[in-house]
Amino acid sequence: DEKLRHNKQILMIKSHPREKLVIYIPSSCKYIKMLRDEELEAKNIVLQEVLADTSALLTDYSGISFEYLLLNRPIEYIVGDMSNYTRGFAFDNPLDYMPGEKINTLGELLHFLDDIRINRDKFEKVRERLKEKIFKGNEMKNGAEELIKHLDRFG
């Protein structure tokens, strides 16, 4: 929270819809906010609208990162628990589909926040190549639909 205050950033946390774990943010944390499905629905806001107003995405293995590719903004991946992940991956080597730094420690997360603050983006070209591979020039089409077609090619 202190790093976010110093950087004049807000970290919004949105759990995956299937996630059962309840995340508690202490009231002393002024720069970390939870986005809850109920709140978004009550305001008639879809997650993609929120994402359009963000500077970067911090995620684990969620498919939302593929939609976020269309914005061509930094994506960082929290992978510290990758060996324990039980839902399975759509690809044999999921790291090939993660065009951003892989975060394992708090220090790496803090470094990412600094990179965002100063607009440092080391993965722009990598994201562009992956976007081209997945969407093949169909960026203006429904991103989720195109991703499903791509995944279907893997059987």
Side-chain angles (χ1 to χ4, degrees):
D1 196 62
E2 180 60 27
K3 172 64 96 172
L4 293 165
R5 184 195 64 74
H6 177 265
N7 286 358
K8 298 180 179 158
Q9 297 168 318
I10 293 178
L11 175 64
M12 294 186 292
I13 299 174
K14 166 67 178 71
S15 295
H16 190 280
R18 290 190 220 148
E19 181 61 59
K20 304 279 189 266
L21 180 68
V22 175
I23 299 173
Y24 170 74
I25 307 295
S27 60
S28 61
C29 294
K30 304 295 184 208
Y31 298 88
I32 303 173
K33 307 291 181 192
M34 280 299 299
L35 287 177
R36 303 196 191 287
D37 289 325
E38 306 79 37
E39 294 169 312
L40 293 174
E41 288 171 15
K43 294 178 181 178
N44 203 25
I45 298 173
V46 295
L47 181 58
Q48 287 74 8
E49 291 175 280
V50 175
L51 291 175
D53 289 333
T54 62
S55 300
L57 177 69
L58 181 62
T59 186
D60 56 3
Y61 325 110
S62 175
I64 198 69
S65 65
F66 295 109
E67 289 185 55
Y68 203 78
L69 272 177
L70 298 173
L71 296 173
N72 197 23
R73 295 181 192 150
I75 305 171
E76 301 289 310
Y77 300 87
I78 298 173
V79 296
D81 66 345
M82 194 169 188
S83 62
N84 300 330
Y85 189 68
T86 59
R87 290 186 185 153
F89 295 103
F91 308 105
D92 288 334
N93 188 359
L95 294 175
D96 290 345
Y97 292 84
M98 296 180 178
E101 292 287 349
K102 311 320 180 268
I103 295 176
N104 288 288
T105 68
L106 177 60
E108 291 169 339
L109 172 60
L110 298 177
H111 182 74
F112 169 62
L113 295 174
D114 284 337
D115 282 349
I116 298 305
R117 180 180 51 84
I118 62 172
N119 294 314
R120 183 181 307 147
D121 184 358
K122 299 179 278 186
F123 287 87
E124 184 175 9
K125 288 183 169 92
V126 178
R127 286 192 312 274
E128 283 293 329
R129 285 192 300 270
L130 182 59
K131 184 172 76 171
E132 177 63 24
K133 179 179 181 177
I134 292 174
F135 298 105
K136 301 209 189 302
N138 294 314
E139 291 89 347
M140 299 310 290
K141 292 185 178 182
N142 181 322
E145 183 178 303
E146 292 301 311
L147 176 60
I148 289 168
K149 287 179 188 175
H150 180 73
L151 293 174
D152 284 345
R153 289 192 287 267
F154 287 97

